[in-house]
Amino acid sequence: MSMFQPEIETMSREDIREHQLEKLKWQVKRVYENVSMYRERMDEAGVKPEDIQTLEDLAKLPFTTKQDLRDYYPYDLLAVPKRDIVRIQASSGTTGKQIVAGYTRNDLEMWANGFARQLTAAGGTNKSIVQVSYGYGLFTGGLGAHQGAEKIGAMVIPTSSGNTERQIRFMCDLGTTHLCCTPSYAMYLGETVREMGVKNQLKLKAGIFGAEPWTEEMRAQIEETLGIKAHDVYGLTEIMGPGVSYECSMQQGMHICEDMFIPEIIDPDTGEVLPDGSFGELVFTTITKEGQPLIRYRTRDLCTLDYTPCKCGRTHVRMKKPAGRTDDMLIIRGVNVFPSQIEEVLLKNSIEVSPNYQILVDRVNNTDTLDINVELSPKFNGNVENEKKSLEAQLRSTLGIGAKVHLLRPKSIVRSEGKAKRVIDNRKLH
Ligand code: DLL
């Protein structure tokens, strides 16, 4: 099982902790000296850089939130002079004020290393042909995957997203071995490969899919339609694009680049650090980032960390697939509903319905409504009315509230070329 940086990827836990403490002290001192927000917050909390003497002392430091990135937009969280920044990336978010992240040359190197570790873990080498079908631009997917692929000396095909048939023609003609895109786009590509009848012309070996939540059922479907091994990759604009954590061939969670980040799991309500193995909100401290370092950044992603040894030999902790975000919870008629609960019900019925769905929330006569559009699977030959009733009953028992199911013909829901937008909450319009 080859690794891009085996000396780092297999460090002993003791060495990881020693490295993290040294880098943490360095970083806290830098932000205290160079970023006024951190200096003020630490002064308020009565913590000085010298108070950080062990890794556990991290808990003394204040959190950073997405709102801080908005409030200090665009440059006030930089810890280096602006001239040292060589790249700006921005969040793909369409709601709220923009946030940006500035990278120094060294930050870009580290990021490329993160994605290079992922590609190598997926069997990538300098002989690989990597098609990057993540969007290029402010979104970190395209450029992040691109830099990582160049780092291992692979041939890169920077198709960006969209133009699906042409993507597939390139895959066949150029002999693409590794595909990088969102899992929902991989599903769409798989569907189109099937329609074009070209699966036997593909040379694909593996895919690197992330930027949105996806399930084991989706993984199985992508692996089948494209004939590949599908790896999960995680990242976020604020911390670093794809490659913050990456999945090895064991496919049992994503190894976090612990030489670059210290992860914690906290209780999202109290902010308290939870013991190893607990489920909660993932928090990152960037210990090597120069441009825009963040201390205890609250990702809002909910997951668990697994410190047990991985069979691949890598020692960096694994994060389980994020099971949702603290902010994607919907409150419908007073009941908390996570979109992932709805998806689970639909996927349990994958013989009858496809994983293409939309959740529509609205308010009619002062009452919240919940409607779910889902496509019937192309092979469905049962009774539509019975299927609808069965799904509605399962949803009621899982969610604790009623939902109306609308079964649609295959291919009636528009496919995603980037991150799928599954929830449409029109209550905000009223
Ligand atoms: O989505 C970076 C990225 C690009 C990751 C390409 C992987 C591949 P943002 O647009 O800032 O950055 O969105 C970050 O997306 O906080 C998670 O909620 C979600 N997310 C990212 N990767 C995964 C994943 C990019 N593998 C937000 N599984 C994060 C589940 C993911 N959710």
Side-chain angles (χ1 to χ4, degrees):
M1 263 171 281
S2 42
M3 297 182 200
F4 180 65
Q5 292 171 301
E7 67 296 349
I8 296 176
E9 291 172 82
T10 62
M11 273 166 106
S12 70
R13 183 101 318 251
E14 214 171 51
D15 288 349
I16 293 176
R17 286 179 64 88
E18 194 181 313
H19 164 88
Q20 286 182 331
L21 180 59
E22 184 194 320
K23 290 289 178 193
L24 175 66
K25 287 182 178 173
W26 170 80
Q27 189 69 289
V28 172
K29 185 164 181 291
R30 289 181 73 232
V31 298
Y32 190 81
E33 286 167 0
N34 299 303
V35 184
S36 61
M37 179 190 87
Y38 282 119
R39 188 165 49 251
E40 284 158 21
R41 298 252 170 107
M42 284 173 61
D43 285 346
E44 263 167 43
V47 203
K48 291 271 176 281
E50 312 77 79
D51 295 333
I52 306 301
Q53 290 303 328
T54 67
L55 283 179
E56 287 63 39
D57 291 334
L58 182 59
K60 295 179 179 162
L61 294 167
F63 290 115
T64 312
T65 63
K66 191 152 193 166
Q67 189 57 40
D68 295 326
L69 286 154
R70 296 192 184 111
D71 293 345
Y72 292 85
Y73 170 91
Y75 295 135
D76 289 348
L77 292 178
L78 293 184
V80 295
K82 226 188 301 166
R83 63 170 178 273
D84 292 343
I85 298 294
V86 296
R87 168 94 62 78
I88 289 289
Q89 302 279 167
S91 159
S92 54
T94 47
T95 50
K97 215 171 130 184
Q98 273 292 338
I99 59 138
V100 292
Y103 290 78
T104 65
R105 199 171 291 284
N106 192 47
D107 292 339
L108 291 184
E109 280 293 304
M110 298 296 275
W111 180 11
N113 287 342
F115 201 84
R117 289 178 199 173
Q118 165 70 94
L119 265 173
T120 311
T125 66
N126 59 1
K127 298 200 185 75
S128 302
I129 302 180
V130 180
Q131 187 158 331
V132 181
S133 313
Y134 286 116
Y136 277 66
L138 289 169
F139 173 55
T140 52
L143 286 163
H146 189 111
Q147 296 157 181
E150 281 193 342
K151 191 94 184 175
I152 65 166
M155 183 200 292
V156 192
I157 314 175
T159 45
S160 194
S161 60
N163 215 332
T164 304
E165 288 198 7
R166 190 176 70 158
Q167 298 265 2
I168 294 167
R169 278 266 57 89
F170 269 141
M171 277 186 221
C172 297
D173 296 348
L174 301 179
T176 303
T177 58
H178 290 73
L179 171 67
C180 307
C181 64
T182 61
S184 51
Y185 196 37
M187 300 263 296
Y188 181 21
L189 285 163
E191 217 175 15
T192 314
V193 162
R194 196 188 287 144
E195 283 167 10
M196 290 167 70
V198 294
K199 185 174 173 189
N200 60 358
Q201 293 176 36
L202 295 177
K203 302 272 184 316
L204 282 177
K205 293 188 177 128
I208 293 161
F209 308 124
E212 62 183 356
W214 53 308
T215 55
E216 289 304 326
E217 285 81 359
M218 276 172 83
R219 176 174 355 233
Q221 196 158 330
I222 293 168
E223 291 192 332
E224 215 277 303
T225 51
L226 292 173
I228 55 169
K229 187 151 187 157
H231 297 252
D232 195 0
V233 65
Y234 171 90
L236 61 166
T237 313
E238 303 90 304
I239 297 296
M240 187 172 94
V244 169
S245 67
Y246 59 96
E247 207 173 47
C248 64
S249 53
M250 299 299 141
Q251 298 178 310
Q252 296 283 321
M254 297 174 272
H255 292 282
I256 295 176
C257 293
E258 277 193 280
D259 52 323
M260 309 182 203
F261 312 107
I262 304 180
E264 297 170 275
I265 294 287
I266 62 159
D267 177 327
D269 297 324
T270 63
E272 187 198 338
V273 178
L274 297 176
D276 283 358
S278 310
F279 178 74
E281 182 179 348
L282 181 61
V283 169
F284 282 114
T285 298
T286 64
I287 48 175
T288 49
K289 199 109 175 269
E290 297 173 343
Q292 190 170 296
L294 296 177
I295 304 293
R296 304 192 82 201
Y297 182 71
R298 296 186 58 159
T299 63
R300 301 194 267 190
D301 289 317
L302 295 163
C303 70
T304 52
L305 296 180
D306 182 358
Y307 285 91
T308 60
C310 181
K311 289 203 187 77
C312 74
R314 290 177 184 80
T315 49
H316 293 200
V317 65
R318 282 167 291 165
M319 58 181 271
K320 287 262 143 73
K321 267 183 184 306
R325 294 173 52 84
T326 53
D327 52 358
D328 62 22
M329 185 181 79
L330 296 159
I331 303 183
I332 301 172
R333 282 172 246 143
V335 176
N336 298 347
V337 173
F338 281 96
S340 55
Q341 294 175 291
I342 297 175
E343 177 164 310
E344 249 169 58
V345 171
L346 298 179
L347 288 164
K348 267 196 220 135
N349 293 271
S350 61
I351 311 252
E352 292 81 18
V353 294
S354 81
N356 296 300
Y357 68 94
Q358 268 173 339
I359 300 171
L360 308 162
V361 189
D362 208 338
R363 182 166 293 143
V364 178
N365 298 332
N366 291 321
T367 307
D368 294 336
T369 57
L370 173 60
D371 288 77
I372 295 159
N373 289 340
V374 58
E375 286 178 13
L376 284 164
S377 105
K379 293 179 209 130
F380 181 79
N381 61 1
N383 177 301
V384 175
E385 198 48 35
N386 290 348
E387 181 56 30
K388 172 179 151 76
K389 284 199 187 121
S390 152
L391 284 173
E392 285 178 347
Q394 294 175 54
L395 285 163
R396 176 180 288 281
S397 90
T398 305
L399 307 176
I401 54 162
K404 243 194 218 142
V405 170
H406 307 271
L407 293 169
L408 310 178
R409 258 191 235 115
K411 300 214 78 170
S412 35
I413 293 177
V414 66
R415 300 293 184 259
S416 155
E417 295 172 348
K419 295 191 194 227
K421 183 159 173 47
R422 306 239 189 243
V423 181
I424 301 166
D425 190 343
N426 284 327
R427 289 177 299 183
K428 293 176 204 122
L429 300 177
H430 300 307

